[in-house]
Every structure is written in C-alpha cells, then in structure tokens.
Amino acid sequence: MARLISLLVAVLALTPCICLAHSRALQASRVLLDGREVEKEYDYIVVGGGTAGLTVADRLTENGKATVLVVEYGQLSNSPSITTVQGGFSGMSDTQFLYDIQSVPQSNLLNRTIAVLAGKVVGGSSAVNAMMTVRAAAADYDGWGSFFGEGSHWSWNQLLPYFKRALNFAPPDEAVTKLANITYDTNFWGDTSSVYAGWPSFQYPGTTAQMEAFRGMPGAPFVKDSGSGEPGRSYARTGHHDRAISRWNYHLVTGSKVTRIALNGTTATGVAFVPVILAAGGIHSPQVLQLSGIGPRKLLSSANITTIVDLPGVGQNFQDHPMIQASYTYRRFNFRPSPNDLFLNASFAAWSEEVWASNRTGPNSIATGNAAAWLPFPVVSPRAADLSSALASQNNTLYLPPGTDQTVAAGYRAQMLLHAAALNSNHTAFYNLVLTGGPTNGILVDLHPLSRRTVAIDTADPYNREPRVDYRALSNPLDAAIMADLVRFTRRYHLENPLTTSWAAMEMAPGLETQTDEQFAAYLAETLSPSEFHPAGTCAMMPRELGGVVDQQLRVYGVERLRVVDASVFPTLPGGNTCQPVYAVAEKAADLIRYGASKGVEQPC
Ligand SMILES: Cc1cc2nc3c(=O)[nH]c(=O)nc-3n(C[C@H](O)[C@H](O)[C@H](O)COP(=O)(O)OP(=O)(O)OC[C@H]3O[C@@H](n4cnc5c(N)ncnc54)[C@H](O)[C@@H]3O)c2cc1C
Ligand SMILES: *[C@@H]1O[C@H](CO)[C@@H](O)[C@H](O)[C@H]1NC(C)=O
Ligand SMILES: *[C@@H]1O[C@H](CO)[C@@H](O)[C@H](O)[C@H]1NC(C)=O
Ligand SMILES: *[C@@H]1O[C@H](CO)[C@@H](O)[C@H](O)[C@H]1NC(C)=O
Ligand SMILES: *[C@@H]1O[C@H](CO)[C@@H](O)[C@H](O)[C@H]1NC(C)=O
Ligand SMILES: *[C@@H]1O[C@H](CO)[C@@H](O)[C@H](O)[C@H]1NC(C)=O
Ligand SMILES: *[C@@H]1O[C@H](CO)[C@@H](O)[C@H](O)[C@H]1NC(C)=O
Ligand SMILES: *[C@@H]1O[C@H](CO)[C@@H](O)[C@H](O)[C@H]1NC(C)=O
Ligand SMILES: *[C@@H]1O[C@H](CO)[C@@H](O)[C@H](O)[C@H]1NC(C)=O
C-alpha cells in the first residue's frame, strides 16, 4: 500500500478554501494527541472520530503497519456527563457535546421544529447516547442484502461474526438474572472487543412484572436472548481510541471540521491517492459529500458547487425512529423499590449513591431503557394484513419530495415492498415499548417508519451552516395509521390485560377520547417526536439504479478511494437502536478495506 500525501496540500479541505485549509491543518496539528504533529503522509484518512470512525481506525492500525489519521470536529473529554451511567441521558443533555441543529419546520407537525441530536466529541454519538444496546431481527439485515439480489455478502449470517467482534459480552450476575428473569445465549456474543455490553447489577422488581405482563397479550413472543450495559459507559472512545492511541501509526486530530473532500477528477485525493473513509454520521456524511460535489446536481448547483458525480441519493432516504408518547400511570403498583424511590425515599437514594460510589453497583448502574418490549406488527394490530396490502398497492412515489429522482423513487418502492411484507410478518419487530420498572411508562417507538426524510446542504451558506434536516414526519399517511395501532395495543396492554388490571393504570396520553385514526393523526401532529436520534440511510448501500450512494463494499459510486462506513449506509433502519449495528457494520467495513470482499486479498481502499 502506497504511503501518501501531504495533508497541507488539502487532501481533505479542512475549510472550503485551500489557503485556509493550510492554516487550519497546522493549527489543528497542535492538538494532536501525544503532541505529535499531523504527518505528511497517511495510508487512510478517516473523517469523523465517532462510533464507526474509531472502530475502523482501530482495526486498520491493529497490524502496526497502515497509518491512519482520524479528523474529528469535537474534542476529547472525560466529562462526568459522558462517563456517568445513571439515566443514560446525561451526555445527551450536555449541549457542549452535541451539534446545534434544528430541523426545518414540520408541516405535518403543526410546523414544529425538532432538535437534531448528534454527538460532537471523540466517540461521537456513542459518547452521548442512552446506552440501550439492541441488535434487531435477522430479517432486517437479510433485507439489506436483498436489494442486491442473490449472492450478496450482506445478511444476518454474514453480519453476525461482526456483531460478535463488536461487543464483549458480560453476563448478568446471578441475583439479577433470577430477579429479572433474564435469559441469554452466549452463542450469539463475542468476548474479544474492548467495547463491553452487559446488564446493570440492579433491577427494579416492577420491570420483571411489566415484562411478564406481556404474557397476557396473545401471541407476544418471548425470546431467549437480546442484549444490554456494564457499569460505566463503554463506547467507541474507550473501546477503540484508547486502545489505538498507543500505536505509532494511529493519529487523531480534534477540533477540526472537514468541509470537503478534495478530488482529482473522481478520485478522493489531493495530489496522490489517499483513501478517505467517511464516518461523520447520518447527518454530516451526506453534507460532506454534497460539499465535495458528490450529490444531487440540482441541489449542488443551487449552492454553486460544481457537480463532480451526480449522485441523486446523497441525503435522500433519510430515516430515524419516531417516538410516540403513550403515557400511563399506575395507581396500584406495589413493586418496591421503584425508580420513584430515588426521589421519594431518602435512605434508598443515599444507599444508591453509596453503592455506586464504592462498587459501581445498584440502581445508578441502570441507564435509560434498561428493558423494553419488541413485538411484530401482526401481534400488535388486527389489521396488519390490510395495512400491508395498502402499502404494497400505494403509489409510494407520491410521498417523496416532488421532483425526486427516479432511481431514488425506485429504491423507495423496493423498500416499501420489503416493509409491506414485514408489516404482515412475525419475523421482525415494529413495536418497541420502553419499560421503566416504575408506576409510569411513556416511550413508544415505531421501528420501521415509512416516511423518508432529507438532509441537504443549506444553499444560502453551505460551508458555514449546518445542513437542512427535514424529517418529513408522517409524509407517508400509513405511518400515522401504523402508529395509531401501536398506541391502541399499548392501551390494551395496560387497560384490557388480565395481568395488568391490578395496577389500575390510567391513560395520561393520548387520552381515551382519542379513538379514530383521524383523532390519532391530530394527536401525533401535536406530540410526535420524529427522531430517536438514530439518523441513518442518507448514503444508502443500495444499487445505484435504486438510488444508492455506496456499493456493497461501501465505496461511493463514481468515486475512487472513498468509502462511507457509518449509520448513513444502512439502506433501511434495523428494528432496534442503532449503536450496536453501527459497530458491526464498521467492523465489517474494516475487513472490506483490509482484505476486500473475499477475505485475505489485500486491496487498496
Ligand atoms: C442522544 C442520543 C441518544 C442515543 N441513544 C441510543 C441508545 O440508547 N442506543 C443505541 O443503540 N443508539 C443510540 N443512539 C444512536 C447511536 O448512538 C448512533 O446511531 C451511533 O452512535 C452513530 O454512529 P456513527 O458512527 O454513524 O456517527 P457518530 O457516532 O455520531 O460519529 C460521527 C462523528 O463525526 C464527527 N463529525 C461530523 N461531521 C464532521 C466533520 N465535518 N468533520 C470532522 N468530524 C465530523 C462528529 O463530531 C462525530 O464524532 C443515540 C444517539 C444520540 C445522539
Ligand atoms: C405552516 O407553515 C405554512 C407555511 O408557512 C403555512 O402555510 C401553514 O398554515 C402553517 N401551518 C400551521 C398549522 O401553522
Ligand atoms: C420467569 O419466566 C418463566 C417462564 O420462562 C415464568 O414461568 C416465570 O413466572 C417468570 N418469573 C417471574 C418472576 O416472573
Ligand atoms: C403472527 O403471530 C400472531 C400471534 O401469534 C398470529 O395470530 C398470526 O397468525 C401470525 N401471523 C403470521 C403472518 O404468521
Ligand atoms: C490528478 O491526477 C492526474 C492523473 O492521475 C495526475 O496526472 C495529476 O498530477 C493529478 N493532479 C493533482 C493535482 O494531483
Ligand atoms: C451563486 O452564484 C450566483 C451567480 O454568481 C450568485 O448570484 C449567488 O449569490 C451564488 N449563490 C451562493 C449560495 O453562493
Ligand atoms: C426506603 O428505602 C429503604 C432502604 O432501601 C427501605 O429499607 C425502606 O423500606 C424504604 N421505605 C419505604 C417507605 O419504601
Ligand atoms: C462493596 O462490595 C464489597 C465486596 O463485595 C462489599 O463487602 C461492600 O459491602 C460493598 N460496599 C457497599 C457500600 O455495599
Ligand atoms: C405515482 O405518482 C407519481 C408522482 O405523482 C406519478 O408521476 C406517477 O405517474 C404515479 N404512478 C402511477 C402508477 O399512478
């Protein structure tokens, strides 16, 4: 592999203007860890030191040979809001580690704007997320490969080794296993990664009751294994950066924003051939491509950016999990202790602090969403077959932005056919209810939204402004019908379930007056959060004729030596939280880069 190229010649333009790029790079090099300066040559440059970027950089430097520079906009931080577990929400509420982005007003949500959360720190979103670790159903990953037809090397079976490589499984302790009725199967887990996953060392007894009460709902499946957190945040920085930093061949530069990838013709480069690995996340990877002249021609020309590759899918096919409020309060829920005791019972709160401080155990070892239900749509909705055929017979294109490229529309159609099948299948989950273990519950998630959103550079000032994020919430009208059924099921679980009647649940939201699809649509307009902070799909791994941006090797179509390896390549969202799938995809990406599609053959990027 050739060693290459001076950063000072703007291999990556750290700012839009080449001359500024010089000073930015020099300035940034001073904060390079270890006091090392940015070298003149690297084998690979990774844009974004987040979840995927640090994973790939760690793997590529493992052999002690290939040199890698990671360029990250955020800083290294040991702030307690990152390292503290309790609530899991600490990082996400500390704005210094988040981008400051508001979505465009949502026409179907009474013109509300929505905060777009993404991590801006070494570790990326894995440093600020809520630490639920979920893998989603095999069918979701088989769907990814299906877009490429027979012989694709993307499927559940072919991703499973990377799921195993991605996380190091820590089984729950015996007391917790018994109390919470936890089952697991170590065949599905690995023990080599430096990113750890496990259970909290404490469980509220109410959580077990809430889980078990799903046995009162006909057809709700109980599976042996799913997954979840060790005490302390284990994330891409601790699991990958901290390992790689002692290697001579791994460099990280922080506080440096990459605005554009320099191209010579259609090769990612300055004067020679430096492979670039884009890992800026679902919101920023499409932005960087668009600023580099790779994207929908019409958008680029309205920003006066010369189109180098007209790639209509860049920034299209944007997906995220909508969060629906379905809030219940139980008048009689006699499981103690409960999470409310952290506020109501001073001695319980003091004990929690003490065992956390001395042993990293107890309630404070629980992050958000410690337990949740994941159910297929036919179990949830009596009209699953009807909604499935409505989606299949719908003119899906009507629900994309006007003027959407035909290839992108064709890809949307292919995805909607897959979702239509999934709506009537028991092999993937559509319904996700987060369980608290206490007398209030409220977060409900639609795992396979149909509406497709967009991320586009702000043509008024593309280099200096954050991209325009349009969630296009509820733009496919079947989303509202599906979500209505998710709430209706939650209502039945709480109010018509023999195993929950003794809790005397009250529906706080939406309220029993909300009954018809129209009433649900109005409720969703007022309250829906279109994002669970899982941005994906904006540089989709799909065939180019289906609006794809990267091929199965994650190489950007029409460009040499440029790959995307983060959540933006997911063609469709897995039915689960996205961090674990990002790690697995990044592990696979590292092998594709090191060995090529057929293992063992070393190939340039
Ligand atoms: C608040 C929040 C809560 C979440 N909760 C959960 C959860 O509980 N469980 C779960 O599984 N998932 C959760 N997620 C989602 C999950 O963390 C993400 O899907 C995953 O971490 C994304 O990985 P990524 O590599 O695609 O992007 P990121 O990890 O976001 O990495 C992108 C990196 O690129 C950097 N960057 C961006 N643009 C540039 C640029 N131009 N130049 C240089 N650097 C740049 C960013 O600063 C960032 O470090 C949550 C996310 C958030 C934000
Ligand atoms: C939302 O904004 C549009 C465009 O400004 C406007 O036409 C519409 O009436 C607004 N809708 C609401 C509910 O305010
Ligand atoms: C645990 O699960 C088993 C079935 O696998 C069930 O019979 C039992 O009641 C559950 N225990 C508790 C405490 O709910
Ligand atoms: C899915 O499971 C439910 C509940 O067990 C069952 O009623 C339904 O027939 C199943 N549907 C399919 C398509 O298998
Ligand atoms: C661009 O690539 C061409 C052909 O490979 C090469 O001759 C030329 O020197 C390159 N230009 C720059 C500025 O790197
Ligand atoms: C694009 O170029 C035109 C013509 O030179 C100019 O009027 C316009 O302001 C430019 N737009 C941007 C976003 O730079
Ligand atoms: C408060 O917490 C303590 C310590 O966990 C416990 O012994 C006690 O029973 C609790 N009191 C109430 C009223 O629940
Ligand atoms: C911490 O763990 C040790 C060893 O198990 C135990 O002896 C000690 O009591 C624990 N501390 C607290 C505060 O519970
Ligand atoms: C579907 O809608 C698109 C966009 O309005 C339209 O161009 C197309 O003709 C429609 N297709 C069918 C089969 O009606």
Side-chain angles (χ1 to χ4, degrees), residues 306-456:
T306 307
T307 299
I308 293 172
V309 181
D310 183 10
L311 206 46
V314 178
Q316 307 292 307
N317 191 50
F318 174 27
Q319 298 162 57
D320 199 335
H321 289 128
M323 290 197 291
I324 308 153
Q325 286 178 43
S327 307
Y328 294 82
T329 294
Y330 313 151
R331 281 163 292 183
R332 289 194 300 274
F333 193 65
N334 300 322
F335 298 95
R336 302 306 278 274
S338 110
N340 289 7
D341 288 318
L342 290 174
F343 307 100
L344 301 176
N345 180 337
S347 62
F348 180 70
W351 171 79
S352 298
E353 291 298 329
E354 189 190 336
V355 294
W356 174 252
S358 55
N359 286 342
R360 293 280 181 260
T361 56
N364 290 4
S365 67
I366 301 178
T368 314
N370 155 59
W374 309 86
L375 300 175
F377 200 63
V379 169
V380 167
S381 168
R383 53 174 178 169
D386 294 345
L387 289 176
S388 168
S389 49
L391 180 59
S393 54
Q394 185 187 66
N395 181 352
N396 311 121
T397 308
L398 287 171
Y399 307 111
L400 293 173
T404 295
D405 187 84
Q406 279 182 8
T407 60
V408 174
Y412 184 55
R413 175 69 185 154
Q415 293 191 1
M416 291 307 104
L417 288 176
L418 203 69
H419 284 335
L423 273 169
N424 201 26
S425 155
N426 286 332
H427 297 296
T428 184
F430 257 78
Y431 173 94
N432 172 215
L433 182 68
V434 177
L435 304 171
T436 61
T440 54
N441 279 291
I443 299 176
L444 176 60
V445 179
D446 175 355
L447 294 171
H448 296 291
L450 311 176
S451 300
R452 290 294 180 267
R453 307 103 180 273
T454 57
V455 174

Side-chain angles (χ1 to χ4, degrees), residues 12-352:
L12 298 171
L14 293 176
T15 73
C17 155
I18 298 270
C19 42
L20 279 178
H22 290 234
S23 58
R24 266 305 267 283
L26 284 174
Q27 186 188 12
S29 70
R30 276 189 237 117
V31 297
L32 194 77
L33 294 180
D34 258 358
R36 286 181 295 215
E37 303 283 272
V38 171
E39 299 289 337
K40 295 207 161 120
E41 305 183 330
Y42 289 93
D43 292 320
Y44 300 101
I45 292 179
V46 176
V47 178
T51 316
L54 293 179
T55 304
V56 168
D58 177 13
R59 296 307 179 197
L60 293 182
T61 52
E62 244 170 12
N63 67 0
K65 290 182 190 148
T67 59
V68 174
L69 173 68
V70 180
V71 186
E72 166 57 41
Y73 191 27
Q75 302 288 350
L76 260 178
S77 173
N78 298 315
S79 161
S81 60
I82 292 173
T83 56
T84 305
V85 179
Q86 189 189 10
F89 277 96
S90 35
M92 77 188 260
S93 53
D94 194 337
T95 54
Q96 65 172 311
F97 302 124
L98 297 170
Y99 287 90
D100 180 12
I101 310 175
Q102 287 290 326
S103 77
V104 304
Q106 297 294 292
S107 56
N108 292 333
L109 302 182
L110 309 174
N111 288 342
R112 286 184 286 131
T113 63
I114 308 291
V116 179
L117 303 192
K120 185 180 70 179
V121 60
V122 175
S125 297
S126 74
V128 299
N129 73 16
M131 298 171 67
M132 309 179 211
T133 181
V134 180
R135 198 172 278 179
D140 296 0
Y141 300 100
D142 291 341
W144 289 6
S146 75
F147 298 122
F148 291 93
E150 291 285 306
S152 168
H153 56 87
W154 287 87
S155 65
W156 166 257
N157 280 336
Q158 292 170 99
L159 206 50
L160 186 56
Y162 297 105
F163 275 116
K164 292 185 183 177
R165 187 185 290 176
L167 295 180
N168 193 324
F169 179 72
D173 72 42
E174 219 172 298
V176 164
T177 307
K178 277 211 183 99
L179 176 82
N181 227 355
I182 294 170
T183 59
Y184 57 87
D185 182 345
T186 50
N187 288 321
F188 291 102
W189 293 92
D191 57 7
T192 59
S193 179
S194 300
V195 183
Y196 293 84
W199 280 266
S201 55
F202 178 91
Q203 290 288 342
Y204 292 104
T207 306
T208 318
Q210 287 165 349
M211 296 285 278
E212 290 297 325
F214 278 92
R215 294 189 197 277
M217 304 305 284
F222 279 70
V223 297
K224 189 168 178 198
D225 190 283
S226 202
S228 84
E230 268 248 301
R233 181 181 291 273
S234 191
Y235 68 112
R237 180 260 168 98
T238 55
H240 290 298
H241 164 83
D242 288 354
R243 235 163 74 87
I245 192 59
S246 60
R247 301 181 190 137
W248 72 273
N249 53 336
Y250 170 90
H251 286 184
L252 169 78
V253 59
T254 58
S256 299
K257 181 177 183 174
V258 173
T259 48
R260 166 170 91 73
I261 295 158
L263 296 160
N264 177 3
T266 56
T267 300
T269 183
V271 291
F273 301 92
V274 176
V276 175
I277 298 161
L278 187 51
I283 303 291
H284 291 105
S285 283
Q287 180 199 28
V288 171
L289 287 182
Q290 291 166 0
L291 292 175
S292 309
I294 302 163
R297 184 185 296 277
K298 221 160 67 188
L299 172 70
L300 304 192
S301 34
S302 61
N304 290 346
I305 291 171
T306 307
T307 299
I308 293 172
V309 181
D310 183 10
L311 206 46
V314 178
Q316 307 292 307
N317 191 50
F318 174 27
Q319 298 162 57
D320 199 335
H321 289 128
M323 290 197 291
I324 308 153
Q325 286 178 43
S327 307
Y328 294 82
T329 294
Y330 313 151
R331 281 163 292 183
R332 289 194 300 274
F333 193 65
N334 300 322
F335 298 95
R336 302 306 278 274
S338 110
N340 289 7
D341 288 318
L342 290 174
F343 307 100
L344 301 176
N345 180 337
S347 62
F348 180 70
W351 171 79
S352 298

